[in-house]
């Protein structure tokens, strides 16, 4: 799905709020296309590649929506914060696609496939440095929050590449990874929105907790899509996590079930899944496995938990939209 000034990646029933968010997203979109510019045309091309390929813009949208819980949602700082989180996200995707050796992102050829790993990694660095420059405009506290978020993103991404420690539950390890690599930046999106939109400290705290859980749910539903979706739906190559040996939620749940009928699946999972035939067989078995629905139910429960934090906000259009945001993340199909 691409972002345009007329479409939001979220149903907002209140038309007044929806139209305000669309207008603000268009401002963010224009600002982003300026921020990915470099003095060197080649770098502008590599840095704008993924942004122009589309994307749901969930993180900046959450900044704008959380800002509506405050008394100055229209402040320039909110737009800056929305750009900060999207640029950080984009940066991380350039690096992630190198790590995952992914061919496709947002329906487009990945940067490393097109320009090689060096250019892809350094373009990620370029986008992250642009994001950092912008964060400096938001003051020292915002810089600290951004740096802490970056630490968590990187920790999560590194921990994903190592096995759980001795005695550590594999599912707990994985949930910790997910909270770091995705929960952290979505929590910061909600937090920046609340903070720069002028919300009270209580609301900022509640929205941060909400964002952390919604963020993890978002990643877990991405894991489910990696198994369940066809590539034309997700714009990515299905089964990438599986091929890379990343043990995501449905896989961990299938393993934990310990059902003797799963012997073949476990054998495949324990072996080399870079082999096309074995990979296709494992993907097929997982698509039929009850762990897929179990994983879906877990994500829906996390979304419910996230919505619980919204009790700190008055009932109304903003809270309803944030509830819808949690729901859509849990059952998303792209
Ligand atoms: C996608 O995971 C990856 C992330 C959400 C985080 C990646 C973080 C880093 C690479 C750390 C470096 C960060 C910066 C800012 C330079 P996935 O592979 O499970 O999801 P996918 O299906 O979208 O690829
Ligand atoms: Mg990836």
């Amino acid at each position: 799905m691409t972002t345009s000034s007329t479409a939001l990646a979220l149903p907002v029933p209140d038309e007044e709020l929806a139209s305000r968010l669309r207008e603000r997203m268009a401002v963010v979109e224009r600002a982003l296309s300026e921020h990915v510019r470099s003095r060197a045309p080649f770098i502008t091309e590599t840095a704008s590649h993924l942004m122009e390929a589309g994307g749901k813009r969930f993180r900046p949208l959450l900044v704008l929506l959380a800002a509506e819980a405050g008394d100055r949602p229209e402040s320039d700082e909110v737009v800056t914060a929305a750009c900060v989180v999207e640029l950080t996200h984009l940066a991380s995707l350039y690096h992630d696609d190198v790590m995952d050796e992914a061919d496709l992102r947002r329906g487009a050829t990945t940067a490393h496939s097109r320009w090689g790993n060096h250019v892809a990694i350094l373009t990620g660095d370029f986008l992250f440095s642009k994001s950092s420059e912008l964060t400096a405009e938001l003051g020292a506290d915002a810089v600290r929050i951004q740096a802490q978020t970056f630490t968590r993103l990187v920790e999560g991404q590194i921990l994903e590449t190592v096995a759980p420690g001795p005695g550590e539950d594999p599912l707990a390890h994985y949930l910790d990874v997910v909270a770091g690599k995705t929960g952290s930046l979505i929590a910061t999106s909600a937090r920046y929105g609340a903070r720069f939109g002028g919300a009270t400290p209580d609301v900022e705290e509640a929205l941060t907790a909400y964002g952390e859980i919604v963020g993890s749910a978002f990643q877990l539903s991405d894991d489910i899509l990696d198994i369940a979706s066809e590539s034309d739906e997700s714009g990515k190559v299905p089964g990438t996590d599986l091929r890379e040996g990343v043990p995501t939620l449905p896989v961990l749940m299938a393993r934990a079930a310990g059902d003797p009928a799963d012997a073949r699946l476990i054998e495949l999972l324990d072996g080399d899944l870079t082999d096309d035939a074995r990979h296709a067989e494992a993907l097929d078995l997982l698509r039929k496995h009850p762990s897929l629905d179990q994983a879906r139910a877990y994500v829906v429960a996390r979304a419910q938990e996230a919505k619980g934090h919204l009790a700190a906000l008055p009932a109304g259009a903003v809270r309803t939209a944030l509830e819808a945001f949690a729901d859509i993340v849990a059952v998303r199909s792209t």
Side-chain angles (χ1 to χ4, degrees), residues 256-279:
D259 186 340
D262 290 336
R264 176 63 183 158
L265 174 61
I266 303 300
E267 186 194 329
L268 288 165
L269 291 173
D270 285 342
D272 176 17
L273 288 178
T274 59
D275 176 89
D276 285 346
R278 291 172 56 88
H279 179 264

Side-chain angles (χ1 to χ4, degrees), residues 1 7-15 17-18 21-22 58 61 65 317-329 331:
M1 186 190 325
L8 294 173
L10 164 76
V12 178
D14 184 282
E15 193 35 51
L17 176 62
L21 289 173
R22 277 196 297 271
F58 261 123
L61 182 57
L65 188 52
V318 175
R319 195 165 109 182
T320 303
L322 286 161
E323 283 165 356
F325 194 93
D327 287 335
I328 201 163
V329 157
V331 296

Side-chain angles (χ1 to χ4, degrees), residues 77-129:
E77 288 179 317
V78 170
V79 171
T80 303
C83 292
V84 164
V85 296
E86 186 62 14
L87 290 170
T88 302
H89 174 56
L90 278 169
S92 77
L93 295 182
Y94 278 76
H95 289 192
D96 180 67
D97 285 337
V98 171
M99 289 180 71
D100 288 349
E101 300 177 30
D103 297 331
L104 211 57
R105 160 86 62 191
R106 298 176 174 174
T109 308
T110 48
H112 70 92
S113 307
R114 187 147 165 200
W115 293 289
N117 283 356
H118 293 180
V119 167
I121 291 167
L122 290 166
T123 301
D125 292 346
F126 171 79
L127 289 166
F128 189 67
S129 57

